[in-house]
Amino acid sequence: MGIQVAFFRGLNVGKSTRIAMRDLIGAFEALGCTSVRSYVQSGNVVFVADASLVSGIGEAIEQRMKSGFGVRTWVTLRDLDAMRAIVSSNPFLDLNAPPTSVAVAFHRSNVELAFDDSALADRVEHRGSETWLYLPNGFSGTNLPASFFAKQLGEATTRNWRTVTKVLEMMEALV
């Protein structure tokens, strides 16, 4: 059995993507997942599943969201070891930044990211399937261009540092 987190893209952001967390939890349970828990209303689901279930759960849950709730979204998964590595390798830990100033973009797959942040107050660090963002003025005050979020990050869903660490804490509680 493996401990996983599912990060949904754009869930509960607009009226057309609304789903109650109890319904989302029920969808995971109906697929055979156990110890299913959600964190906040934006689609962060921690669960336990065996390896055979995990390999197809992303596609299965996306289909269930579409057919059962009329919500078109996608999901990216990370296991406990990956989340531990993401938290421990945060390149901005030494800044002692408030958790609202740091975020992680979780990509659906490994991507190449070429972005020069040397002239900006904001910082971007990319490795494989994650991009860490240091935004001292938050998302609303960022000086990263809109094209960075639309084109450079591509298929990614972003969580602030508080959410990332809370999700890891929830996963660790299942060990």
Side-chain angles (χ1 to χ4, degrees):
M1 300 297 263
I3 301 168
Q4 302 282 322
V5 61
F7 293 112
F8 285 84
R9 168 78 171 171
L11 198 63
N12 288 343
V13 173
K15 289 184 180 183
S16 65
T17 63
R18 294 268 178 227
I19 183 169
M21 290 300 100
R22 71 178 176 281
D23 294 336
L24 184 59
I25 289 168
F28 276 84
E29 291 172 339
L31 291 170
C33 300
T34 60
S35 301
V36 184
R37 305 284 183 272
S38 66
Y39 177 67
V40 298
Q41 297 293 312
S42 61
N44 308 289
V45 179
V46 172
F47 62 96
V48 176
D50 62 42
S52 63
L53 182 59
V54 169
S55 66
I57 193 104
E59 185 176 310
I61 202 70
E62 288 170 14
Q63 182 58 38
R64 195 165 196 78
M65 294 294 99
K66 183 179 171 186
S67 64
F69 304 104
V71 174
R72 291 174 136 325
T73 183
W74 56 260
V75 65
T76 185
L77 303 173
R78 297 296 185 272
D79 65 18
L80 178 58
D81 288 339
M83 287 300 294
R84 285 173 174 159
I86 290 163
V87 168
S88 68
S89 63
N90 176 351
F92 306 120
L93 283 176
D94 62 333
L95 297 177
N96 293 317
T100 54
S101 297
V102 178
V104 179
F106 296 91
H107 301 272
R108 289 186 85 175
S109 59
N110 284 353
V111 295
E112 293 295 322
L113 185 69
F115 184 78
D116 181 11
D117 64 3
S118 60
L120 305 174
D122 299 332
R123 293 286 176 252
V124 176
E125 179 76 30
H126 174 75
R127 295 182 207 131
S129 58
E130 281 80 38
T131 301
W132 288 260
L133 304 167
Y134 170 61
L135 309 171
N137 298 311
F139 276 99
S140 62
T142 184
N143 51 17
L144 291 170
S147 62
F148 170 78
F149 293 99
K151 295 178 182 169
Q152 289 284 332
L153 287 185
E155 285 193 327
T157 186
T158 306
R159 299 296 187 271
N160 70 35
W161 194 245
R162 184 180 325 258
T163 297
V164 171
T165 57
K166 179 61 177 178
V167 164
L168 177 58
E169 183 181 304
M170 291 171 64
M171 295 171 83
E172 293 282 7
L174 296 173
V175 175

